[in-house]
């Protein structure tokens, strides 16, 4: 039996993740730990709207949550929860960052700031992805990317308005939950988040903030409205998973039928091509035999051509 903390809920579900990250204290600690930023406070700009019905149309489950947080120094952080592998997810994450940078610049333009002054107003936009599937081939469960010199590995940092120290132009972190191991050597401040979202037993005392986040996963403590929403969501989630299972089963059945049909068609085609090739070979041998008889004077050219249903002109090229 799998060793997990909660049997009835998944921390990576859209509803759960939104409830966890709607708590600004938890989100601040998460960003502080994963991106190692000096966070004092956080404001959630997007991703807190969890009171959305799922009774008719279930959201796309490839990307479960899109949380946009703003730190006290105006740095913005996109947090993405990825429950299924998606080939272009990393590129899509980069698009999210670029879109937010563009959106910020548009707001500055709206304040009548001249174009050549926009760079002075630029604020960093970073991202953190928590993924159930693996995107990197190594065994490291935590990756943190930024712009660096190709030889010295020096980070490319710039002065940003309102921030005392220089900052990275971009920073993207990934937590790959499948690679989690209790004996991981990374800082436990990072590992504990993998244990929280991976629904694993805590290997050390996780601290007050993680304990607070873990309590959010206890549905019994929710108010009546949220519990009703959770029940509705679970029904939709189960229905969606059943649909995916049916689609996968149908796809495998279709593939098997297609494979069998392909084999049968291949055999038939091979048989037909073999017969055709045999006939062609017989034709060549017959032509050569009659051509030899004509060359030996046993048949006239006209008789040889007629036996092959060829004109004398066509037959001459075989002589």
């Amino acid at each position: 039996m799998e060793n997990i903390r909660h049997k009835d809920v998944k921390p990576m579900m859209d509803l759960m993740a939104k409830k966890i990250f709607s708590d600004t204290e938890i989100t601040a600690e998460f960003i502080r730990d994963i991106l190692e930023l000096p966070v004092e406070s956080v404001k959630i700009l997007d991703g807190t709207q969890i009171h959305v019905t799922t009774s008719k149309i279930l959201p796309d489950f490839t990307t479960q949550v899109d949380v946009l947080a703003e730190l006290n120094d105006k740095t913005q952080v996109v947090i993405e929860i990825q429950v299924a592998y998606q080939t272009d997810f990393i590129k899509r994450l980069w698009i999210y960052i670029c879109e937010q940078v563009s959106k910020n610049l548009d707001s500055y333009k709206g304040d009548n700031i001249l174009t050549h002054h926009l760079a002075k107003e630029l604020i960093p936009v970073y991202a953190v992805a928590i993924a159930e599937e693996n995107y990197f081939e190594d065994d490291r469960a935590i990756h943190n990317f930024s712009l660096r010199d190709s030889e010295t590995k020096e980070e490319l940092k710039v002065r940003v308005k309102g921030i005392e120290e220089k900052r990275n132009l971009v920073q993207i972190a990934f937590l790959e939950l499948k690679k989690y191991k209790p004996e991981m050597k990374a800082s436990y401040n990072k590992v504990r988040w993998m244990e929280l979202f991976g629904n694993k037993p805590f290997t050390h005392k996780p601290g007050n903030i993680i304990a607070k986040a873990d309590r959010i996963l206890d549905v019994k403590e929710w108010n009546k409205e949220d519990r009703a929403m959770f029940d509705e969501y679970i029904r939709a989630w189960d229905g969606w998973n059943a649909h995916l299972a049916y689609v996968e089963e149908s796809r495998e059945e279709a593939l098997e039928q297609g494979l069998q049909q392909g084999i049968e068609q291949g055999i038939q085609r091979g048989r037909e091509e073999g017969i055709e090739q045999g006939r062609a070979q017989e034709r060549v041998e017959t032509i050569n035999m009659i051509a030899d008889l004509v060359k030996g004077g046993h048949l006239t050219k006209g008789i040889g051509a007629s036996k092959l249903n060829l004109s004398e002109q066509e037959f001459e090229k075989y002589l």
Side-chain angles (χ1 to χ4, degrees):
M1 179 181 291
E2 186 181 4
N3 194 9
I4 59 176
R5 296 193 323 278
H6 300 278
K7 292 193 303 181
D8 300 326
V9 299
K10 286 173 61 72
M12 291 286 282
M13 287 175 61
D14 173 59
L15 181 62
M16 296 298 174
K18 278 184 166 67
K19 283 189 75 71
I20 289 173
F21 285 118
S22 64
D23 186 299
T24 57
E25 189 178 30
I26 293 173
T27 303
E29 185 86 345
F30 176 78
I31 295 171
R32 193 180 296 120
D33 288 344
I34 303 303
L35 296 180
E36 298 181 1
L37 295 175
V39 183
E40 294 179 12
S41 62
V42 160
K43 177 171 65 175
I44 308 300
L45 301 181
D46 192 16
T48 60
Q49 301 302 313
I50 61 177
H51 296 274
V52 178
T53 181
T54 58
S55 58
K56 294 183 179 179
I57 301 176
L58 201 65
D60 180 3
F61 281 95
T62 54
T63 298
Q64 287 302 327
V65 64
D66 183 3
V67 176
L68 177 63
E70 183 179 80
L71 311 188
N72 53 287
D73 60 14
K74 302 303 181 182
T75 299
Q76 294 175 344
V77 179
V78 173
I79 303 174
E80 282 291 321
I81 302 293
Q82 187 76 358
V83 299
Y85 181 85
Q86 191 175 68
T87 303
D88 293 323
F89 172 65
I90 296 177
K91 289 185 286 186
R92 191 153 53 85
L93 193 59
W94 174 245
I95 290 175
Y96 291 163
I97 294 174
C98 294
E99 285 180 338
Q100 189 59 37
V101 171
S102 177
K103 182 178 178 181
N104 293 338
L105 292 179
D106 286 343
S107 68
Y108 303 148
K109 292 177 183 177
D111 292 333
N112 297 319
I113 296 179
L114 298 177
T115 302
H116 64 277
H117 286 155
L118 285 176
K120 295 180 180 179
E121 302 298 325
L122 182 70
I123 58 175
V125 179
Y126 301 151
V128 181
I130 309 172
E132 285 195 349
E133 300 297 327
N134 296 338
Y135 284 87
F136 306 100
E137 295 181 358
D138 58 23
D139 294 329
R140 293 166 52 224
I142 302 174
H143 292 77
N144 200 325
F145 296 92
S146 60
L147 296 177
R148 294 175 180 267
D149 183 90
S150 59
E151 292 186 13
T152 65
K153 309 305 177 185
E154 177 188 1
E155 289 184 301
L156 179 60
K157 295 186 175 183
V158 297
R159 293 286 181 188
V160 180
K161 182 179 179 180
I163 302 177
E164 184 176 345
E165 73 279 3
K166 286 186 176 181
R167 281 284 178 86
N168 292 301
L169 276 173
V170 65
Q171 191 173 358
I172 307 177
F174 294 86
L175 308 183
E176 296 174 294
L177 299 183
K178 266 193 173 181
K179 293 179 181 177
Y180 167 81
K181 296 178 181 178
E183 64 273 16
M184 283 177 59
K185 298 186 182 300
S187 165
Y188 190 65
N189 276 1
K190 291 180 170 61
V191 173
R192 60 184 182 163
W193 292 101
M194 299 194 69
E195 292 175 344
L196 173 71
F197 285 103
N199 205 12
K200 304 295 184 183
F202 294 117
T203 53
H204 298 73
K205 187 176 180 179
N208 294 334
I209 294 296
I210 297 292
K212 180 181 181 182
D214 200 44
R215 286 195 299 273
I216 291 176
L217 298 174
D218 187 356
V219 180
K220 296 189 299 295
E221 300 297 323
W222 293 12
N223 60 41
K224 183 178 180 180
E225 179 189 11
D226 284 357
R227 285 200 306 272
M229 179 178 58
F230 173 77
D231 291 340
E232 181 182 0
Y233 195 93
I234 289 297
R235 286 193 296 272
W237 176 272
D238 290 343
W240 177 253
N241 285 331
H243 167 71
L244 290 181
Y246 173 77
V247 170
E248 180 64 20
E249 183 179 348
S250 300
R251 186 182 70 86
E252 291 179 357
E253 184 178 343
L255 285 174
E256 184 176 348
Q257 291 177 352
L259 178 61
Q260 184 61 34
Q261 184 178 0
I263 291 173
E264 292 174 357
Q265 291 176 348
I267 292 173
Q268 179 63 25
R269 182 176 178 182
R271 184 183 294 117
E272 293 173 355
E273 289 180 353
I275 293 172
E276 187 65 29
Q277 289 175 359
R279 289 173 178 170
Q281 183 63 30
E282 288 179 2
R283 175 72 172 170
V284 170
E285 292 176 355
T286 301
I287 291 174
N288 289 337
M289 180 186 68
I290 293 178
D292 289 341
L293 290 174
V294 172
K295 291 176 184 177
H298 302 290
L299 290 176
T300 64
K301 183 170 63 173
I303 292 175
S306 65
K307 287 184 176 293
L308 295 171
N309 293 321
L310 297 174
S311 67
E312 290 188 21
Q313 186 177 2
E314 290 174 327
F315 184 49
E316 282 182 355
K317 63 183 178 182
Y318 298 105
L319 298 177

